[in-house]
Amino acid sequence: MPANGNSHAYFNIDEVRSKNVLKQITQLINEVTNITETFPLKPGQTTEGLVATLDAAVANFLQTGSFAISKCPIANSDPRAIDLLHEALGAVQDTGQVMIQTGRDFVRDSTSTNKRAIATNSGRNLLTAVAKFLILADSIDVKVIVDKVDEVRETAHQMIEADTKIKVDDLYNLLISQIEELDITVRRRAIDLVKPNQRDDLLAARSALRQTAPLLYTSTRTFVRHPEHEEARRNRDYTADEMHSALNALESVLNGQQPKVTFSEYGRIGDLINEIDTFQNRIEIDPAHYRRGTDRPDLEGHCERIVSGSASIADAESTRENRKQKIVAECNNLRQALQELLTEYEKSTGRRDDNDDIPLGIAEVHKRTKDLRRHLRRAIVDHISDAFLDTRTPLILLIEAAKEGHEENTRYRSKMFQEHANEIVSVARLSCQLSSDVESVSVIQHTAAQLEKLAPQVAQAAILLCHQPTSKTAQENMETYKNAWFDKVRLLTTALDNITTLDDFLAVSEAHIVEDCERGIKGITANASTPDENAANCETVDCAAGSIRGRALRVCDVVDAEMDFLQNSEYTETVKQAVRILKTQRVDQFAERASALANRQEAHGLTWDPKTKEEEMNEFINACTLVHDAVKDIRHALLMNRSMNDVDSDVEYEADGVGAANADANRTISEQENQQNLMRRLPEEEKKKIQAQIDIFKVTQTRFEREVAKWDETGNDIISLANNMCKIMMSMTEFTRGCGPLKTTMDVIRAAQEISLNGSKLNALARQIGEESADSQTKKDLLAYLSQITLYCQQLNICSKVKADVTQVGNELVVSALDSAMSLIQTARNLLTAVVQTVKAAYIASTKVGSLSLNKTLIIIPT
């Protein structure tokens, strides 16, 4: 074995697919390494003890291996494999004895280069023999599982070829027992696999096998009963192909090969989200390193690819016009912001002074990217909300038409169902473009592909039922396909909910309820001169009411599921109570009033005069308001423990919800004292200016976090103080937006005093490092940065007296706090920059300390 201990270099480690095998090989590597390389010895170790430990490990291995061979399940069916195992175990025994002897010779004369080389070579041979034995044993274990796969394959083939229902039933019972037996070994194997992608592919193939078996059974029975119908043959052939695909995938993964279609290949991050993330990481460039010839075309290329990807979402069929316009506008804004930033970079070329326009430009690009992300997410949630509003009705209507034996209606419903299936598959794939959740994306893409293949077969089963509506086998076949469809749709819905934020979902749901209400109003106020026109209006109102009810119930399901993941608390109970009110009261009240209105319109709609229409319109609006307000109450309940920074809203400063939550949490503070409430009432122009400064602060904060993340905070006072100062400064900047934990001017003053105290501590600790530094320039730089911290702490104390001035202009109160807020944010940014420079300078100084050792709490260690 070589001196670097890389023993496994002498066999192909990629051949090891089992965690158990890898663990045993690693354990033996450690034992061998202890003999040839553990010098000097650790306390309590002896050279003879190391050899004895290895001797015991080899003996135990041989005993365990011999017992495993005796119990091998293929001992009778494949004697050649048993002989190979005995030969491999014999090689382990021989190389083990040689290793023990050469190891003993070496530890008695550890200075001998020749004996070390002999022992190392013996160790290499032993490890190679052990690896070969374990890999061979593992391959035989795999062969046992593959044999079970072949048994399932043969039984499935016999069932497909069966010509009576009795044979099909008997073979299906045998098939299920074989699948259950195979399932146990496959699950055990999946847990033991080293590579995660192989584990995922094996479990996906196992799941496909279990799901396909019932479909194969009913399809085969139906074909045996109705071989004259092409639809029956298509169902049987489809399930037979799915069964063979699942079995082939199982066998391929077990043998370490790549199946034709894998679950893991679906887990690829969408190009659009990847481009956006890359773009945001690329825009922050050190001005001294900016190169127009390379950086400009690179960033512009990223931007154009983002615009192109965004256009595909904006141009999608179901994207609402107002959302499309917002996406187009934000794409143009992003282009403009990038050009302005690149111009600032080019202006700074060759300049030594800091250019504040660059961080402002970076902040603007980040803001525009964030806004574009939000509109893209909301556009996708628009699609999801529409496509998954009612996933059951299209199939139920198809089955009902088939049971009636009405072929024309069944084919029409089949077409509608196929369109519905195409829509949910398309929307599912579209949603993956903006998600970086690899696991959920894998589930979505894989399930969408399965649904795409299953949908035509569901339609075939319905048409067959239409031809034979009284056939029990056709009915059972239809029921099996229906259950398979709903199970996969349920899985897809859950996966989509996982990549959709609750904020986006609720915001879109509220907007859609308003749209549905407007659609219903049009149906009420539309003129109708014939019974057909009146019936069309009634259907419009009924569809709008049904959509509102469906959206409300979907909100309840999604929010309830989200709360189930959280520990029970006052917060979760408040949210659940809001959900219960919507689900058990408001939805029922709405449905009752909407149904009564629809009945009145159906009976008397032709005779409604303008006054009656207005009354009915107001009744419908009031009914819709019940649901809309209840959904809004759920949103407010969810925001009770949220900061405004956590909410990516279409309205940057949203007074309702977050503000109410913050105010409610601090009832003890009077309205006059609560300056935070007044900050939320600033004029929009001042809010925008403050937000621009906060965006620049966030750029500085991001740089701070990246820099400080390089150092280990554990037991280090300087890094700990720096992080604490950053957190307090974040709270102070939040105050200027009317949110965060600081409510009054006195809270801000206390926060500034705490920062000053931390700054003094940081100053003292860093100065101690500077005083001990042997390099005069390093010491000079560190002391200069410390003087900046002292200066900015003093300025922050002055700026902390932020107070909103309230003046009365006419009948309105005008609030203003622009100057003090801007000064506070700018000073916080300067202080944060000084802290970063101090930490870097302190690290450099700590590497140049003279003979006197520093206290360990002052030593800055890279992570």
Side-chain angles (χ1 to χ4, degrees):
M1 189 173 59
N4 64 3
N6 190 16
S7 311
H8 55 73
Y10 298 102
F11 58 88
N12 188 358
I13 197 69
D14 291 335
E15 292 181 28
V16 181
R17 302 199 301 272
S18 164
K19 291 179 182 177
N20 188 39
V21 170
L22 190 63
K23 179 181 177 181
Q24 293 187 59
I25 292 175
T26 303
Q27 183 177 355
L28 199 57
I29 287 175
N30 292 335
E31 300 293 349
V32 174
T33 304
N34 283 340
I35 292 180
T36 59
E37 296 183 14
T38 308
F39 291 97
L41 295 173
K42 297 178 182 177
Q45 284 185 328
T46 65
T47 55
E48 291 295 336
L50 294 176
V51 176
T53 300
L54 177 61
D55 192 5
V58 172
N60 181 62
F61 184 90
L62 293 171
Q63 182 180 359
T64 304
S66 180
F67 178 78
I69 294 174
S70 67
K71 298 296 183 182
C72 185
I74 63 169
N76 296 326
S77 61
D78 193 351
R80 175 58 183 157
I82 300 301
D83 291 342
L84 290 174
L85 283 173
H86 279 300
E87 290 176 11
L89 191 62
V92 173
Q93 184 176 17
D94 295 341
T95 55
Q97 290 174 350
V98 173
M99 176 62 210
I100 300 302
Q101 184 58 48
T102 56
R104 187 172 284 115
D105 292 342
F106 168 64
V107 298
R108 289 171 180 168
D109 184 10
S110 59
T111 60
S112 171
T113 305
N114 184 47
K115 290 181 179 180
R116 175 187 287 272
I118 294 172
T120 299
N121 188 58
S122 299
R124 178 197 312 165
N125 294 334
L126 171 60
L127 292 175
T128 301
V130 169
K132 286 181 177 179
F133 173 79
L134 291 174
I135 292 171
L136 176 61
D138 186 59
S139 67
I140 291 175
D141 286 342
V142 169
K143 185 178 184 305
V144 172
I145 305 176
V146 171
D147 288 343
K148 294 181 185 297
V149 172
D150 289 336
E151 290 176 4
V152 173
R153 183 184 285 111
E154 178 59 28
T155 303
H157 176 71
Q158 292 178 12
M159 191 173 83
I160 294 167
E161 296 297 323
D163 54 4
T164 67
K165 289 200 291 184
I166 294 176
K167 286 184 180 179
V168 173
D169 292 344
D170 291 343
L171 288 167
Y172 180 65
N173 291 331
L174 176 60
L175 181 70
I176 290 300
S177 64
Q178 291 174 340
I179 289 176
E180 290 297 333
E181 184 180 353
L182 175 64
D183 188 68
I184 295 172
T185 56
V186 167
R187 279 190 287 125
R188 190 182 300 128
R189 180 66 183 177
I191 294 171
D192 194 42
L193 285 174
V194 173
K195 296 181 180 179
N197 64 317
Q198 289 186 340
R199 180 174 63 250
D200 292 342
D201 291 338
L202 189 63
L203 291 176
R206 162 189 171 265
S207 177
L209 180 65
R210 294 178 64 88
Q211 293 170 4
T212 305
L215 291 174
L216 179 65
Y217 171 60
T218 58
S219 297
T220 305
R221 288 184 89 246
T222 306
F223 178 75
V224 170
R225 177 68 180 83
H226 303 289
E228 70 278 8
H229 291 290
E230 182 66 17
E231 293 80 11
R233 186 189 63 79
R234 289 173 183 168
N235 275 173
R236 188 202 62 172
D237 291 349
Y238 160 76
T239 52
D241 288 343
E242 289 297 296
M243 176 65 74
H244 287 310
S245 294
L247 291 170
N248 291 338
L250 274 175
E251 185 173 354
S252 295
V253 178
L254 288 169
N255 288 325
Q257 301 166 355
Q258 185 81 358
K260 289 183 178 179
V261 179
T262 66
F263 174 82
S264 55
E265 73 178 7
Y266 290 112
R268 193 174 69 87
I269 300 301
D271 292 337
L272 180 56
I273 188 66
N274 190 45
E275 283 291 347
I276 293 175
D277 289 342
T278 304
F279 175 73
Q280 286 198 277
N281 290 330
R282 277 283 290 116
I283 60 172
E284 294 191 33
I285 305 170
D286 185 342
H289 297 153
Y290 175 80
R291 298 294 180 268
R292 177 186 173 90
T294 55
D295 292 324
R296 175 178 276 276
D298 182 45
L299 288 171
E300 288 177 339
H302 280 298
C303 184
E304 289 309 310
R305 287 191 289 274
I306 291 170
V307 171
S308 178
S310 302
S312 66
I313 296 177
D315 294 335
E317 186 176 347
S318 299
T319 302
R320 284 157 172 75
E321 185 61 30
N322 63 336
R323 187 66 68 185
K324 178 179 180 179
Q325 292 174 1
K326 289 179 180 178
I327 292 173
V328 171
E330 286 305 333
C331 285
N332 291 331
N333 291 338
L334 180 61
R335 282 170 167 158
Q336 181 64 30
L338 175 62
Q339 291 303 318
E340 291 175 358
L341 174 61
L342 293 176
T343 300
E344 293 302 327
Y345 274 130
E346 287 157 13
K347 286 181 180 177
S348 295
T349 304
R351 288 172 54 179
R352 295 186 178 180
D353 57 318
D354 292 336
N355 184 357
D356 285 341
D357 289 333
I358 288 180
L360 183 61
I362 293 173
E364 182 66 13
V365 173
H366 280 311
K367 181 178 182 300
R368 294 306 179 187
T369 309
K370 179 182 178 182
D371 290 343
L372 178 59
R373 279 181 190 259
R374 181 175 64 254
H375 293 309
L376 291 171
R377 290 198 319 268
R378 298 281 168 91
I380 287 175
V381 178
D382 280 338
H383 289 271
I384 295 174
S385 180
D386 290 337
F388 289 82
L389 175 61
D390 184 1
T391 56
R392 299 184 66 85
T393 299
L395 180 52
I396 290 173
L397 291 176
L398 170 60
I399 295 173
E400 288 177 353
K403 287 180 178 179
E404 293 173 358
H406 195 297
E407 184 172 354
E408 183 179 354
N409 190 30
T410 300
R411 293 196 178 277
Y412 170 74
R413 291 296 180 186
S414 174
K415 181 181 177 183
M416 299 299 293
F417 168 75
Q418 188 64 59
E419 290 177 356
H420 162 72
N422 292 341
E423 183 181 13
I424 64 174
V425 168
S426 174
V427 168
R429 288 171 174 160
L430 184 69
S431 68
C432 296
Q433 292 190 32
L434 276 180
S435 176
S436 54
D437 184 342
V438 175
E439 185 176 347
S440 293
V441 167
S442 295
V443 174
I444 291 169
Q445 295 279 24
H446 185 249
T447 308
Q450 290 180 321
L451 286 171
E452 190 173 35
K453 291 193 292 184
L454 182 60
Q457 301 305 319
V458 174
Q460 293 294 321
I463 293 173
L464 174 61
L465 178 60
C466 176
H467 291 154
Q468 299 290 338
T470 60
S471 171
K472 185 177 180 181
T473 54
Q475 293 171 2
E476 290 174 350
N477 188 53
M478 184 73 256
E479 184 69 15
T480 305
Y481 273 95
K482 182 192 77 171
N483 292 337
W485 177 264
F486 284 150
D487 286 345
K488 291 188 185 300
V489 170
R490 194 177 302 114
L491 175 62
L492 182 60
T493 304
T494 302
L496 286 169
D497 289 343
N498 287 340
I499 66 171
T500 304
T501 67
L502 208 52
D503 292 335
D504 289 335
F505 174 73
L506 290 176
V508 167
S509 296
E510 285 184 45
H512 286 185
I513 288 172
V514 173
E515 289 179 4
D516 293 332
C517 180
E518 293 172 351
R519 184 155 53 96
I521 290 172
K522 290 180 180 178
I524 294 171
T525 58
N527 293 324
S529 56
T530 65
D532 288 345
E533 290 179 351
N534 186 60
N537 291 341
C538 291
E539 185 177 357
T540 299
V541 176
D542 186 55
C543 288
S547 295
I548 291 172
R549 182 177 179 276
R551 295 188 198 281
L553 293 176
R554 178 102 169 91
V555 166
C556 295
D557 291 341
V558 172
V559 176
D560 270 340
E562 186 78 12
M563 291 301 103
D564 288 341
F565 282 105
L566 303 179
Q567 187 175 358
N568 286 336
S569 63
E570 183 180 353
Y571 166 70
T572 59
E573 283 305 313
T574 301
V575 175
K576 288 181 178 179
Q577 178 61 23
V579 171
R580 281 193 291 270
I581 291 174
L582 174 60
K583 194 170 188 176
T584 62
Q585 298 179 30
R586 300 294 180 256
V587 170
D588 291 341
Q589 293 169 2
F590 168 78
E592 183 179 345
R593 294 171 69 170
S595 178
L597 188 153
N599 291 335
R600 290 194 300 272
Q601 186 177 21
E602 185 177 8
H604 310 292
L606 287 172
T607 62
W608 280 358
D609 56 25
K611 182 179 179 181
T612 305
K613 287 183 178 182
E614 184 175 355
E615 291 173 353
E616 296 292 354
M617 179 185 71
N618 290 333
E619 167 64 11
F620 187 73
I621 292 173
N622 292 335
C624 293
T625 302
L626 288 173
V627 175
H628 185 269
D629 287 351
V631 173
K632 197 172 184 180
D633 289 341
I634 292 174
R635 177 165 61 87
H636 287 180
L638 284 165
L639 295 173
M640 285 295 289
N641 67 343
R642 304 270 291 280
S643 163
M644 283 182 71
N645 283 338
D646 298 331
V647 182
D648 186 11
S649 170
D650 280 328
V651 181
E652 189 65 32
Y653 287 82
E654 189 172 9
D656 63 342
V658 180
N662 288 336
D664 183 66
N666 296 274
R667 295 187 183 91
T668 58
I669 301 175
S670 69
E671 186 65 30
Q672 289 182 341
E673 289 177 326
N674 196 338
Q675 286 283 314
Q676 192 188 81
N677 285 341
L678 293 177
M679 298 301 288
R680 286 198 291 273
R681 292 163 59 184
L682 290 173
E684 288 302 319
E685 277 301 314
E686 292 195 8
K687 288 179 180 178
K688 289 179 181 178
K689 292 179 180 179
I690 290 174
Q691 184 61 42
Q693 288 298 320
I694 289 177
D695 289 340
I696 299 177
F697 175 82
K698 286 182 177 178
V699 173
T700 306
Q701 178 193 338
T702 301
R703 290 174 178 168
F704 169 87
E705 290 169 349
R706 287 177 183 170
E707 190 64 37
V708 172
K710 298 176 183 177
W711 319 112
D712 186 3
E713 184 179 356
T714 307
N716 188 278
D717 292 342
I718 290 179
I719 302 300
S720 180
L721 285 168
N723 278 324
N724 192 40
M725 292 173 74
C726 178
K727 291 175 184 176
I728 300 171
M729 283 185 269
M730 286 170 59
S731 298
M732 295 175 76
T733 57
E734 281 185 347
F735 173 82
T736 64
R737 293 181 56 204
C739 60
L742 308 180
K743 308 299 177 185
T744 68
T745 302
M746 187 53 65
D747 290 339
V748 182
I749 292 173
R750 291 193 190 100
Q753 291 171 345
E754 186 176 353
I755 286 178
S756 293
L757 180 61
N758 286 334
S760 298
K761 293 179 180 178
L762 180 64
N763 194 316
L765 294 172
R767 191 174 295 277
Q768 183 178 339
I769 295 176
E771 294 296 339
E772 298 296 336
S773 175
D775 186 87
S776 60
Q777 185 58 47
T778 301
K779 176 179 179 180
K780 182 178 179 182
D781 292 341
L782 178 57
L783 296 180
Y785 292 131
L786 290 175
S787 66
Q788 289 183 12
I789 289 181
T790 303
L791 171 65
Y792 291 134
C793 282
Q794 292 172 351
Q795 289 184 3
L796 200 61
N797 270 321
I798 298 171
C799 298
S800 66
K801 299 172 178 59
V802 176
K803 187 172 182 180
D805 299 320
V806 182
T807 56
Q808 185 162 355
V809 179
N811 295 325
E812 295 184 0
L813 290 177
V814 178
V815 183
S816 178
L818 180 62
D819 293 339
S820 54
M822 298 272 278
S823 298
L824 177 69
I825 300 168
Q826 289 168 357
T827 304
R829 179 164 65 93
N830 293 336
L831 176 56
L832 202 56
T833 301
V835 170
V836 172
Q837 297 295 344
T838 299
V839 171
K840 292 170 68 175
Y843 168 69
I844 295 172
S846 68
T847 63
K848 299 180 179 180
V849 171
S851 58
L852 183 62
S853 299
L854 290 174
N855 186 302
K856 65 179 181 179
T857 61
L858 300 183
I859 301 174
I860 302 178
I861 304 172
T863 54

